[in-house]
Structure formats: structure tokens, C-alpha cells
Amino acid sequence: MRARLRECRALPRGQKLLLCEAVVLIAASKVLLAVAGLEDAERYFGTAAQFLPCHRQSASPESVRWAVLTAGSCLPGTYDCLDRALTGSTLLVANDLPHRLRFGVDPQSDTFEAHAWIESNGDVLIGDIDDFGRFRTLTEREVRG
């Protein structure tokens, strides 16, 4: 734990801020998705993106990816692809970075399996998994940032 705190203290101010925002957003996503559902959670996070301190700086897609993945691994509990995608999309919007938020299902699975991911510049930024190709996109949202 102390080693992680030392690592965090050593980060540049902008990265610290981005990581703190990711921690708050990913924790809030777990609650909002359970209580309000996806549509309302997206609306609330869309509003929040306008007021995030990182809105006044320019992060890269890769730094947003780092912040989301780090936040999810630092907090107790589990954060699934939807939590990470909603958090990542919010941070990308706050930094005026265009991206695609996609939702898909595995049509071959005997059980219902869904996945959410973010693409930026044609590559999967958040939500890349080993057997990614089995998911067929149901819907996507192109977000201009």
C-alpha cells in the first residue's frame, strides 16, 4: 500500500488529477448503473464531464486508458467493462477527445454475454479482451468530445 502511495505522489500533477477523477467516476458508475440504469448514468456522466478539472487540460487517449485501468485495479470490488467504458468515455469527453463507445453481444454463446468497449483512432482503447472477435456490435455512439 505504501509503495502505491509513493508511486502516486511521484506522478505529475496532471496525471494525479486524472487518476483521482477516474477513481471517483468508476466508483460512481458502479452505483449509478445499479440504481439509475445506463441511459440515466450516461446523462449524469455527460453533465459531470463539463465540470471535471481535467476539462481545462489536454490528456491523451492513452493517459485516459491508464487512469481508468489503474483506478479499477486500486479500488476494492470488481469493475466490469461497462463501468470502465462509461468512466473512460466521460474522461475522453472532458478532454475533448473523439471516440466510439460500443456495445456488443456474443451471438454464438449459449448464455447472454455482452461487452462494452471504447475505440479511439480505430483501435480498441478500453475493453480489449483476448476473445474480443466473438462480440458483434449492437450499437455504437460516436462521441466528438
Side-chain angles (χ1 to χ4, degrees):
M1 180 68 157
R2 287 180 186 239
R4 233 176 224 212
L5 287 173
R6 272 194 298 274
E7 288 174 21
C8 189
R9 273 192 225 127
L11 293 173
R13 185 179 186 284
Q15 275 189 296
K16 283 182 197 173
L17 183 59
L18 188 62
L19 181 57
C20 287
E21 291 168 352
V23 165
V24 170
L25 288 171
I26 204 163
S29 73
K30 184 59 81 179
V31 174
L32 272 174
L33 288 167
V35 173
L38 178 60
E39 189 176 315
D40 287 339
E42 280 186 303
R43 192 174 70 248
Y44 296 143
F45 273 46
T47 301
Q50 299 171 28
F51 299 102
L52 290 175
C54 74
H55 192 70
R56 293 184 292 276
Q57 68 186 33
S58 182
S60 68
E62 292 75 22
S63 64
V64 168
R65 179 183 192 280
W66 167 83
V68 171
L69 297 180
T70 302
S73 68
C74 290
L75 293 173
T78 57
Y79 298 91
D80 60 24
C81 60
L82 188 54
D83 298 314
R84 290 187 297 272
L86 185 57
T87 299
S89 182
T90 303
L91 291 173
L92 290 166
V93 167
N95 285 282
D96 294 323
L97 296 168
H99 61 283
R100 282 196 167 104
L101 177 58
R102 293 188 177 213
F103 302 94
V105 296
D106 179 356
Q108 305 299 320
S109 179
D110 294 335
T111 60
F112 180 76
E113 291 188 52
H115 188 56
W117 68 97
I118 294 175
E119 293 180 1
S120 177
N121 299 320
D123 296 318
V124 176
L125 183 67
I126 296 173
D128 194 10
I129 54 177
D130 290 338
D131 53 353
F132 184 74
R134 68 188 174 104
F135 291 97
R136 192 181 95 227
T137 301
L138 286 178
T139 184
E140 72 178 58
R141 297 180 179 119
E142 191 161 334
V143 185
R144 291 284 171 204

